[in-house]
Amino acid sequence: MADDHDPYNDPEMRYGSYVVGSFPKEFGRYVGDGEENLAGAEDNNLPRILLMGLRRSGKSSIQKVVFHKMAPNETLFLESTNKIVKDDLSGSSFVKFQIWDFPGQIDYFDSQFDADVIFGNCGALIFVIDSQDDYSEALNRLNTTVIKAHKVNPDIKFEVFIHKVDGLSDDHKIEVQRDIHQRATGDLEDASLESIHLSFYLTSIYDHSIFEAFSKVVQKLIRHLGTLENLLNIFNSNSGIEKSFLFDVCSKIYVATDSSPVDMITYELCCDMLDVVIDISCIYGLQEDREGSVYDQRSTSIIQLNNSTVLYLKEVNRFIALVAILRENSYEKRGLIDYNFHCLRKALQQIGMNSNKYPYYHNNVKVLELDKQ
């Protein structure tokens, strides 16, 4: 990894300076940012998301931008990964998994590595393809990886990030996606593995597409996603809200949303609101002794736009926030919305606390009793 000076590791700067758009290190969201050898890859039972692909395809840049708030332009100075890099994202009620970033030059199906250890507890495998390079070799590696990983663990979700599309025109993006989709699925059909499903995403670290794609991947690992969606639907219908998200505040991944389609502009607005709230909180939210968290149970924000739209943010728990979009005339019933949110938060916290005893809540949203006027 890059050897640049990290201000977060400087004890003199740890509390006195924050990078704009990021959390202070003591926020405690991600456990571990170390590099570990593949040979000793046995960890706890958290589900894993594996980042794989050829060298220089952008895997480490994705990890740094999404989970460590690195500015996209700073990823130009990252060195090629030569060891597995793991991040433990287990601090939230709804998002508990590990990210493993694999070096592109290593054959992880070599006999010296234990494929059962690598893929046995894998929830999703993300294969990153550089759209601006010749991707024939990448497609061959993708095909080999999918076939062998599927033999070890048939339950893996296979996701393909067609990356670095910021340098392509809209027509070229569509053409590249169609070509990769046809060739990748065709290779699986030739191997009589039509049952394996590949999902494809156009991504770039220079816009919100990488956060959107990672959101879709993470949601597939959330066991109670359908119930979270139903809770948000009820909250929306009883509060006059047009769209709502449950965000992982640190990464800007949305772990759930209501059943209405996600509009990219709406999602970007919500992400920008999160950035504003955290940036201002890092400046004004800490106590005089610089202790405490910049995001807590008192965190809330209301932003009124000039097109009669209101953005509404409320803290759900230490790492999750509700961000909703509504019209000004609906916001006139602020008391009703706040009360309904209180009911929603209580239900979400019960789901989180009873994650191992969830059958009572599964497909049963009567736990949420809201007022409606």
Side-chain angles (χ1 to χ4, degrees), residues 273-274 277 299-302 311-315 321-323:
M273 183 184 194
L274 279 173
V277 171
S299 294
T300 184
S301 177
I302 308 296
L311 302 178
Y312 177 92
L313 181 146
K314 282 279 194 177
E315 180 261 5
L322 171 84
V323 182

Side-chain angles (χ1 to χ4, degrees), residues 242-243 245 254 257-264 266:
E242 297 183 353
K243 186 67 181 174
F245 297 88
Y254 66 93
T257 184
D258 56 69
S259 58
S260 63
V262 176
D263 176 62
M264 198 63 183
T266 298

Side-chain angles (χ1 to χ4, degrees), residues 325-344:
I325 296 181
L326 62 157
R327 295 296 174 183
E328 283 186 357
N329 57 347
S330 298
Y331 183 67
E332 293 175 357
K333 301 178 181 179
R334 168 72 185 275
L336 173 67
I337 297 173
D338 287 345
Y339 174 78
N340 286 344
F341 167 75
H342 175 75
C343 297
L344 173 66

